[in-house]
Amino acid sequence: MHDVRSVRAPSMLRLAAASLAGTAIEFYDFFVYGTAAALVLGPLFFPTFSPLAGTLAAFGTFAVGFVARPLGSVLFGHIGDRRGRRPVLVASLLLTGAATVAVGCVPAYDSIGVAAPVLLLVLRFLQGLGLGGEWGGAVLLTAEHAPADRRGLWSSFPQIGPSLGFVLANGVMLVLSATLSDAQFAAWGWRVPFWAAGVLALAGLWLRSSLRESPQFLELREHARMPLAEVVRGHWRLVLLTAGGLAVGYAVFYAVTTWALAYGVERLGVSRTVMLACIMAAVVVKGALTPLAAMLGDRYGRRPLCLAGSGAAALWMFPLVALLSTGEPLLMFLGFLVALLAFITMFAVIAAYLPELYEPRVRCTGAAVGYNLGGVLGGALTPVVATAVARGDGVPWGVAAYLTAIALLSLGCFALLPETRPVARLSVVEVAD
């Protein structure tokens, strides 16, 4: 049998770098939509609504991408468990990239009427469908090549991708926002980051063209015929617990990067350049510390870090809202940074944790469905609920209460999951070897 521990570090570095680049590109596509929804999509595509209702409607189309992600994980998970992890990486990147470029080409409501938001909705759905397959393929290809005692570290590379994608998406938005007038930004400037997704997708396909298939997939004597049916029949409790556990990570991340951005600009009167800069700085630190958190997971276990991260999130949501409400850049940055550090304490180890929880024959489907259902619970609703709850003129404590409740739910779910770190207990991977 092939021993994953025999994979040399240089080969692992190339593989991890390709996975990181791919997830960065796909999450760039996903995040650039979230930023546009917070800044400009409401007035352009829902002009007959009030400013608040327009923002809610724009965030509604944002949420559709999360609803599509579990469907994408089912579709691409089936391919990954039946045909291999590698084909998933190519197909998902093509779909997400094409949908993102198309968003940048959709005329506004003033040009084509109601067809504009309908097209936006369809393309956002396709974005989510592609991203639903991306995570499972990228993470499993890395995790299944990695040596057992460093699986957390190597698997964290794809988890850095979202941070890079966010910084890239918002960096482009920040430059355009700072150099264009409001009229220019609304007329065409916001479309440029969507068009750039086409170039990034081609670069990602080139990087992934030389990736090898997962050795553990190749060693399976029998592949699952109906992976989803097997997951539902034999792992439904695990899927629900992982989705519930991951919900707080999504809620915290999108509360900071999407809702707080809109709230700061529209309600507090902070310039979008300042808000983007504060959020981006916190995301950069979070991304840089991801490997460190993953190494702690290799040493102390996946479950303890998940418990610590969700517990820290529960304690920090009220301070986060208080600091945001000041409108002071340094205080907002502090609030964002601590929240994202709680987030990455969990999500740095998830890329190793979820694959270890599922047997190899249904791993691509099970891990991806659990991961993306967490996105529906925590990411799809958070900007919408937070915007609706924060209607009054005072500090939006209701948002803090909502986020704290999700954190406590996640804490309970992680408490019910087992530890999988190989030195503490043989994972499914070592049993297969």
Side-chain angles (χ1 to χ4, degrees), residues 273-320:
T273 302
V274 170
M275 288 301 302
L276 284 171
C278 290
I279 295 170
M280 284 175 60
V283 171
V284 167
V285 177
K286 184 265 290 185
L289 293 178
T290 299
L292 175 60
M295 287 190 287
L296 292 175
D298 279 329
R299 180 163 185 174
Y300 298 108
R302 326 304 190 200
R303 184 171 173 268
L305 266 73
C306 290
L307 291 171
S310 52
L315 294 173
W316 188 248
M317 293 303 95
F318 279 91
L320 166 65

Side-chain angles (χ1 to χ4, degrees), residues 71-163:
L71 299 178
S73 65
V74 171
L75 171 63
F76 289 104
H78 183 89
I79 297 172
D81 285 324
R82 292 281 295 158
R83 304 298 179 188
R85 320 317 191 192
R86 189 174 176 273
V88 170
L89 298 182
V90 175
S92 63
L93 188 59
L94 278 173
L95 177 59
T96 308
T100 304
V101 172
V103 168
C105 300
V106 176
Y109 185 93
D110 290 345
S111 298
I112 59 174
V114 73
V118 170
L119 284 173
L120 206 62
L121 198 70
V122 171
L123 293 171
R124 179 60 175 174
F125 180 87
L126 293 176
Q127 263 193 329
L129 204 66
L131 192 62
E134 162 65 25
W135 185 86
V139 163
L140 290 189
L141 204 61
T142 307
E144 292 182 341
H145 276 90
D149 61 343
R150 290 290 182 268
R151 187 175 298 124
L153 174 61
W154 289 117
S155 299
S156 73
F157 276 69
Q159 295 296 79
I160 302 173
S163 296

Side-chain angles (χ1 to χ4, degrees), residues 232-246:
V232 172
R233 184 171 58 250
H235 303 281
W236 63 270
R237 182 176 179 272
L238 182 58
V239 169
L240 293 179
L241 286 176
T242 52
L246 296 175

Side-chain angles (χ1 to χ4, degrees), residues 378-389:
L381 297 178
T382 292
V384 176
V385 171
T387 301
V389 168

Side-chain angles (χ1 to χ4, degrees), residues 248-249 252 308-318 338-339 342-343 346 403-404 407:
V248 64
V252 168
S310 52
L315 294 173
W316 188 248
M317 293 303 95
F318 279 91
V338 176
F343 160 83
M346 295 173 280
L403 294 173
T404 301

Side-chain angles (χ1 to χ4, degrees), residues 182-198:
D182 288 345
Q184 290 173 321
F185 185 79
W188 58 268
W190 69 271
R191 297 180 183 274
V192 173
F194 290 90
W195 296 334

